[in-house]
Amino acid sequence: MSDPKERIPVQNILVQQARTSQGDELSGPANAARFWRTFRRHRLGLVGLVIVGTMVLAAVGAPYLAPADPLAQDILRARLQPPSAAHPLGTDELGRDLLSRLIYGARISLTIGLLAEGTALLIGSVIGALAGFLGGRVDDLLMRITEIFMAIPSLLFLIAVVAILEPNVVTIALALGVIGWPSEARVMRSQVLAVKNLEYVTAAHALGLRPYQVLLRHILPNALSPMIVVGTLGIAGAILTEATLSFLGLGIQQPIPSWGTMVYTGQNYIFTAWWYAVFPGLAIMLTVLGFNFVGDALRDALDPNRVTQRT
Amino acid sequence: MAGSVNRRHAQGAPHLHACPRGRSAALLVACSLLLFALTFAPARAAGDFRYPIAADPEHLNPFRSTTVATRTVLIQVYEPLVTFDPQTGGLKPELAERWEVSEDGLTYTFHLRKGVRFHQVPGVVYDDPEVTAEDWIWSFEMFLSGDTAISEHPEYLEAVKGARAFTAGEADRVEGVRALDPYTLEVTLEEPNHRFLFDLINVYVVPREAYEQLGSRFSQVPVGTGPFLFHEWLRDDHITLVKNPDYWEPGLPKLDSITYVNVPDATTQLFQYRQDALHVLLDFPTGQVAALRQEFADEYVEIPGLNLRYLGFKWTSGPFKDNRALRLAVAHALDQETIWNVLMEGARFPAHQGVLPPAMPAADVEGYRYDPELARQYLAEAGYPNGQGLEPITYYYFASAAAEPYHAAIQAMLAEVGIPIVLRSEDNTTYWTRVGDDDVHLFLSGWSADFLDPSEVFNYLFYQGRDDTNYSNPEVDALIARATAITDDAERNALYRQIHQMILEDVPMVPLSYSKVMALVKPYVKDFFLSPAGAYRVPMKYVALER
């Protein structure tokens, strides 16, 4: 880009202006500082960050943090024991330590959330960007496909998938991603549509850049921030759907500690051993809430208009 | 962008503006609550019995009923020639007043009850609604149809002379069935068969007019002779039957109607039972059995049931094929006592005997006892000392059993002796279509006998590879066939005992537990006679609500 810069300084100035006004927040230390400043102001966002951080910590450090083996049974001596010093969150019907199972369960939920949403973002971004950028018939076609996918009941689709494939973390996460991309695609498309007619993009075209270069270098970076928000919220959705699937007895298989499975089996004991269903249920709720808070805070922090209003 | 604009607006919104909106919202909530209350308010007649069902029947076609869900409703609408005596469990006349059996055990003469009339329902016009021998012959032929779209149960009548030829389409009438006069039906068997009268329990008389005039609705609108008439079926919500005013048995039924309420979840059923919105509770939420027995000591009833839960080995493929020692290793590794009395809180009897429910004749043989040391020996004998070289085996089970806590316990018990297994739950439909496949080697399954006879288990689970284990032993097959033809009870049961021993020697499955038929019954419900075949078999015509 150095050549055009020298030759056509006017356009270059335009490009600079457009970029600044759009706010390319993710680049440069100054932007990062401003981003963090806005994010910090969002108190619930910080709470969410703490929750998500705790969860990541639990997932990564599970073998060191868990007080007991999450699979070790002791039916005759430790069945359905209430919270105590030996078992801070009590035990389940097979005498397994609930806290240890919850900690290991964080791995399952986090892996599924990230993998599923990653897949959804990838598919959704590609389809949304192409639809928005190319427009016309391609747009029509891709959007109809998106609508078809939106019309598929996701839980039924998942049940069908686990009936055919083995229900493990990877297949469930990929299936969630494959069914979950349409909303991502629509957001991406609308972003691309909003950006692609701005002057700096016209300028980039005028500079003789190839369409794919314009898309990759000039449009996508400016369409990213809403995708980060959508992605964060999507992780929460994926975790919840996995829990639902496991709650139906069709998700992550026993004896792997999945939070959904724990709620599912625990509900039978709700009147005699409340802790069994309540703690995994709380874990799911807090995690989903945490990701939602972070998502909200990110939306505010990444919103350039908002920044201008506040500063 | 858009979001922040909106928020600013809201912040600056005049105070007054919020008020009416809040009030109308409150009004809306109140209205919808009222609507909710009105819709769900129990508009219950005094004589309406509210009976829980966990799932809707697939259909209500008497010729094709295979599940408990369909039978639950059908047996109140349709009637057979003979039925169970609700108090003794033996046989008693129903639409046949009495019957005679010839000396050679081949000819049964049924004297039909007079004055039995088919239900009068909209859309069905009869020449003569009274049930005669001709109606029975038509119904027999329908049951014997070789077209599975018409009947799924030709086997109920396969003992009848000429039945197989009729089913195969080689004859246009059933040779062994004759009407001697309008009220006398003669049935001749191919050879003596002690199961014939038992099998008749599920063979109902069906009006030909209803079948022909209702067409495709026949599967949704049952029309029979029973104590209750079909009234309505709202899918996944409820099915209502109302009293048959023309019922042949004077004074019956005592109820005005039965509402089968679809409540899929056992915990919700329990909640509704507490609220008096259900009059019986038939499914106990796992994990609350002991507590409920204690809480409802006066409403709890229990009798030994006829269901066997077992762990099946694939006889024809996989690691268990031709490896009796490996099968025995699994059998001796399971601590049934802990599984059923501790984990399942006594919801079923642990299987210390063989494959027959304990109430049956020939059931009292010694089962596989829990002995981990012996299991390890067998495992070594099987070629896998301490489990070395044994690939993990997938244990398949169905989603409706997924909430039961013992699967992981079984896994741990088998791991203890060195047998690695992986658990895999499948939704019920997938499970039942897959379990017969060659790559399913270890599976949880169950079998419900309909009556107290060993043939009910042997002829289905151990005969000619009929079960999903594919177990077949020509010697056992021959003995089972021989026993079926013996009409003398003592002689037959002795042979059944021998067969039972041979089956246990072969180890085609590990019997896990036998059912208890349990129920909570409200104190004002009278004459709710539980049947060993399952709570669904309760003849509702005797039941009364006396509040």
Side-chain angles (χ1 to χ4, degrees):
Chain A
M1 286 233 309
S2 59
D3 273 0
K5 210 187 240 173
E6 282 162 34
R7 270 186 286 153
I8 320 168
V10 184
Q11 264 92 344
N12 192 38
I13 292 164
L14 266 180
V15 172
Q16 290 293 343
Q17 280 176 344
R19 294 182 74 125
T20 321
S21 71
Q22 271 301 301
D24 193 3
E25 294 85 2
L26 289 177
S27 63
N31 279 331
R34 192 183 58 195
F35 163 78
W36 176 236
R37 217 167 41 236
T38 334
F39 188 97
R40 239 177 12 190
R41 236 178 260 140
H42 199 293
R43 251 179 254 143
L44 285 179
L46 283 183
V47 173
L49 203 62
V50 170
I51 294 173
V52 172
T54 314
M55 188 185 168
V56 173
L57 197 71
V60 175
Y64 309 100
L65 293 171
D69 178 353
L71 300 182
Q73 302 177 9
D74 190 356
I75 299 168
L76 295 179
R77 272 167 303 170
R79 180 169 182 265
L80 294 175
Q81 285 190 353
S84 65
H87 303 287
L89 298 185
T91 61
D92 67 6
E93 85 280 15
L94 295 165
R96 297 175 294 200
D97 183 57
L98 265 188
L99 176 61
S100 309
R101 288 181 70 73
L102 273 187
I103 291 174
Y104 273 90
R107 289 188 157 183
I108 308 288
S109 291
L110 199 65
T111 314
I112 288 195
L114 290 176
L115 193 54
E117 194 47 36
T119 314
L121 276 179
L122 191 71
I123 303 176
S125 300
V126 170
I127 292 192
L130 286 178
F133 187 67
L134 297 174
R137 289 213 176 142
V138 180
D139 184 21
D140 274 350
L141 178 72
L142 290 177
M143 282 302 109
R144 292 307 83 76
I145 293 175
T146 310
E147 278 154 20
I148 290 171
F149 267 83
M150 285 192 108
I152 300 174
S154 55
L155 206 57
L156 287 185
F157 174 79
L158 289 168
I159 289 172
V161 168
V162 297
I164 299 164
L165 304 171
E166 204 165 309
N168 56 36
V169 175
V170 175
T171 48
I172 289 177
L174 290 182
L176 276 168
V178 165
I179 194 72
W181 58 264
S183 54
E184 278 75 351
R186 286 162 68 119
V187 171
M188 179 53 107
R189 173 175 173 270
S190 69
Q191 278 308 110
V192 172
L193 284 180
V195 173
K196 83 167 178 185
N197 292 326
L198 290 178
E199 284 157 330
Y200 83 91
V201 177
T202 319
H205 280 296
L207 289 172
L209 290 182
R210 292 174 187 284
Y212 76 90
Q213 287 174 316
V214 176
L215 180 63
L216 288 180
R217 287 194 203 156
H218 298 280
I219 296 182
L220 281 190
N222 284 310
L224 266 187
S225 36
M227 296 308 287
I228 292 171
V229 177
V230 169
T232 321
L233 300 177
I235 292 175
I239 290 175
L240 211 55
T241 312
E242 184 276 320
T244 312
L245 198 63
S246 293
F247 186 79
L248 295 175
L250 300 171
I252 304 299
Q253 297 290 302
Q254 290 265 25
I256 299 167
S258 139
W259 292 346
T261 313
M262 289 161 81
V263 176
Y264 173 56
T265 42
Q267 61 159 347
N268 289 317
Y269 304 93
I270 194 80
F271 295 110
T272 46
W274 56 268
W275 55 89
Y276 186 2
V278 166
F279 289 128
L282 276 178
I284 295 173
M285 195 191 83
L286 282 178
T287 307
V288 170
L289 215 56
F291 274 107
N292 279 327
F293 286 161
V294 171
D296 278 349
L298 280 177
R299 180 172 50 215
D300 290 353
L302 292 176
D303 182 345
N305 292 339
R306 209 176 156 74
V307 173
T308 10
Q309 278 156 32
R310 292 240 170 144
T311 38
Chain B
M1 295 169 254
S4 56
V5 170
N6 275 342
R7 198 174 304 177
R8 205 162 20 148
H9 235 290
Q11 279 162 359
H15 188 70
L16 267 176
H17 199 94
C19 249
R21 212 195 296 161
R23 218 179 291 154
S24 64
L27 198 67
L28 197 72
V29 170
C31 281
S32 40
L33 272 181
L34 189 69
L35 200 68
F36 182 86
L38 283 176
T39 323
F40 291 90
R44 285 172 214 145
D48 180 39
F49 192 95
R50 294 182 59 87
Y51 187 112
I53 50 175
D56 260 25
E58 305 84 82
H59 57 72
L60 289 172
N61 184 327
F63 304 118
R64 296 177 50 223
S65 96
T66 47
T67 60
V68 166
T70 51
R71 293 268 165 96
T72 305
V73 178
L74 286 176
I75 59 175
Q76 313 301 344
V77 177
Y78 290 100
E79 290 180 306
L81 287 166
V82 297
T83 192
F84 289 121
D85 185 315
Q87 276 161 312
T88 65
L91 290 173
K92 83 177 187 83
E94 186 87 329
L95 290 190
E97 237 168 1
R98 60 197 162 81
W99 61 86
E100 290 122 29
V101 188
S102 65
E103 279 295 312
D104 56 6
L106 285 176
T107 309
Y108 289 69
T109 311
F110 295 96
H111 300 279
L112 304 181
R113 200 176 290 282
K114 289 174 187 162
V116 176
R117 274 187 288 275
F118 287 120
H119 293 160
Q120 294 292 345
V121 294
V124 182
V125 183
Y126 304 102
D127 294 334
D128 175 13
E130 188 169 7
V131 178
T132 62
E134 286 304 322
D135 294 308
W136 278 106
I137 293 177
W138 182 81
S139 301
F140 272 34
E141 286 175 353
M142 288 296 286
F143 271 101
L144 280 170
S145 168
D147 181 353
T148 47
I150 295 177
S151 168
E152 295 197 10
H153 293 293
E155 82 275 11
Y156 287 155
L157 293 166
E158 69 186 0
V160 176
K161 190 168 188 182
R164 285 170 206 268
F166 181 84
T167 305
E170 292 156 11
D172 51 5
R173 54 178 293 273
V174 186
E175 194 190 337
V177 184
R178 273 200 313 155
L180 299 184
D181 64 61
Y183 299 106
T184 315
L185 181 72
E186 188 193 82
V187 180
T188 315
L189 303 188
E190 201 86 51
E191 50 195 31
N193 186 325
H194 82 281
R195 290 176 46 86
F196 176 63
L197 281 178
F198 283 117
D199 277 335
L200 282 185
I201 285 168
N202 293 313
V203 178
Y204 316 108
V205 67
V206 179
R208 178 177 197 157
E209 288 88 345
Y211 185 80
E212 284 166 359
Q213 292 167 22
L214 290 174
S216 62
R217 283 172 61 226
F218 177 76
S219 291
Q220 274 80 48
V221 182
V223 185
T225 59
F228 292 94
L229 284 167
F230 174 79
H231 177 64
E232 66 171 355
W233 180 359
L234 197 60
R235 286 264 174 197
D236 292 322
D237 191 78
H238 72 268
I239 296 172
T240 314
L241 304 182
V242 296
K243 179 180 186 158
N244 175 4
D246 298 328
Y247 193 58
W248 53 268
E249 203 167 351
L252 297 181
K254 293 179 185 164
L255 297 169
D256 295 327
S257 58
I258 308 173
T259 307
Y260 294 94
V261 194
N262 187 320
V263 189
D265 176 55
T267 312
T268 316
Q269 283 190 13
L270 173 62
F271 176 75
Q272 298 203 359
Y273 179 80
R274 286 180 196 278
Q275 305 287 309
D276 264 348
L278 294 173
H279 292 132
V280 288
L281 184 75
L282 307 172
D283 294 322
F284 288 40
T286 316
Q288 295 183 52
V289 179
L292 287 178
R293 262 193 306 220
Q294 211 165 19
E295 182 185 344
F296 294 98
D298 297 338
E299 299 171 24
Y300 176 78
V301 283
E302 150 189 332
I303 60 169
L306 291 180
N307 175 279
L308 168 75
R309 185 71 59 84
Y310 64 90
L311 199 54
F313 302 118
K314 190 70 82 209
W315 188 257
T316 44
S317 65
F320 296 108
K321 185 191 177 197
D322 300 327
N323 196 337
R324 176 170 177 270
L326 184 60
R327 300 195 296 270
L328 275 171
V330 172
H332 288 288
L334 302 178
D335 180 0
Q336 311 270 11
E337 196 64 35
T338 301
I339 295 176
W340 303 103
N341 283 340
V342 181
L343 279 180
M344 290 294 285
E345 302 183 349
R348 298 171 68 89
F349 297 105
H352 294 311
Q353 299 183 325
V355 298
L356 295 179
M360 282 190 182
D364 56 333
V365 299
E366 202 190 328
Y368 311 108
R369 67 176 191 284
Y370 171 52
D371 186 343
E373 204 34 61
L374 188 60
R376 283 190 199 96
Q377 285 173 27
Y378 277 124
L379 189 60
E381 191 186 312
Y384 309 104
N386 298 317
Q388 282 161 19
L390 186 56
E391 291 291 315
I393 303 161
T394 306
Y395 161 104
Y396 286 85
Y397 61 112
F398 37 94
S400 58
E404 296 178 343
Y406 50 82
H407 313 290
I410 287 178
Q411 185 184 40
M413 288 167 187
L414 292 177
E416 177 69 27
V417 302
I419 303 168
I421 65 167
V422 179
L423 303 178
R424 171 86 189 262
S425 80
E426 306 228 15
D427 90 283
N428 289 15
T429 320
T430 318
Y431 171 86
W432 290 115
T433 46
R434 247 179 81 53
V435 65
D437 293 356
D438 281 341
D439 58 344
V440 174
H441 303 134
L442 182 68
F443 56 93
L444 180 79
S445 190
W447 177 254
S448 290
D450 269 345
F451 45 86
L452 285 170
D453 191 86
S455 63
E456 270 292 284
V457 175
F458 291 163
N459 293 27
Y460 295 92
L461 297 188
F462 305 103
Y463 188 58
Q464 297 181 343
R466 277 187 184 178
D467 188 39
D468 297 312
T469 55
N470 298 341
Y471 169 74
S472 165
N473 175 342
E475 226 177 310
V476 170
D477 287 348
L479 289 183
I480 289 176
R482 210 176 93 202
T484 306
I486 300 176
T487 41
D488 180 74
D489 288 352
E491 187 191 341
R492 185 179 65 242
N493 289 337
L495 183 56
Y496 274 142
R497 227 185 122 80
Q498 188 193 335
I499 296 170
H500 199 177
Q501 300 279 16
M502 289 170 71
I503 290 168
L504 289 185
E505 277 295 302
D506 280 344
V507 210
M509 61 164 71
V510 188
L512 294 176
S513 66
Y514 319 111
S515 62
K516 285 178 184 175
V517 179
M518 300 184 293
L520 294 185
V521 182
K522 289 282 176 191
Y524 49 79
V525 173
K526 300 294 176 226
D527 296 335
F528 192 81
F529 302 115
L530 283 185
S531 156
Y536 78 96
R537 274 276 175 195
V538 173
M540 295 298 292
K541 63 181 176 181
Y542 302 110
V543 176
L545 294 170
E546 293 174 5
R547 270 183 275 208

